[in-house]
Amino acid sequence: MLEQINPKLAMNMLDDLSPTQTVGIVEGFIEGAVYSDRLQPKAVLIATKGGTYSLQGELDDRFARAFMSFYAKKRHERFTLFSTSTGWGEFF
């Protein structure tokens, strides 16, 4: 299950291709949330209130299952997803 975590835990997962809103949420300039399946995350889902999401970090089976459960609950809402990871791109 994905749970909201401290945004600063996602700082090391950002790269030059990370969407601006993603960086803004992690740095605390934009309101949003960061979700992970653990306190020492390998991957995170970063969310704006408007339904824009960004996957950052490594493809991980445990996180992928938690993500799919999270997505199933949101499937009738706006859900626009970005990722700079080739692994996540291949997963989808």
Side-chain angles (χ1 to χ4, degrees):
M1 175 182 350
L2 295 183
E3 295 187 22
Q4 195 167 341
I5 63 168
N6 182 331
K8 300 294 183 199
L9 293 174
M11 187 68 72
N12 66 336
M13 292 181 210
L14 301 179
D15 58 34
D16 292 340
L17 299 175
S18 298
T20 303
Q21 73 269 10
T22 297
V23 176
I25 290 168
V26 171
E27 292 183 347
F29 296 113
I30 297 174
E31 193 172 343
V34 177
Y35 298 93
S36 184
D37 63 337
R38 59 187 82 178
L39 291 176
Q40 299 291 325
K42 292 182 181 180
V44 293
L45 179 66
I46 302 171
T48 67
K49 286 189 165 200
T52 303
Y53 296 83
S54 176
L55 270 171
Q56 300 288 141
E58 303 171 21
L59 176 60
D60 174 84
D61 287 339
R62 179 176 147 177
F63 185 91
R65 285 190 303 274
F67 171 80
M68 294 309 290
S69 177
F70 181 90
Y71 174 73
K73 294 175 187 171
K74 302 278 187 180
R75 68 176 182 240
H76 297 294
E77 299 174 21
R78 177 177 178 216
F79 201 97
T80 304
L81 182 64
F82 298 94
S83 179
T84 60
S85 164
T86 303
W88 283 112
E90 291 174 3
F91 173 79
F92 291 108

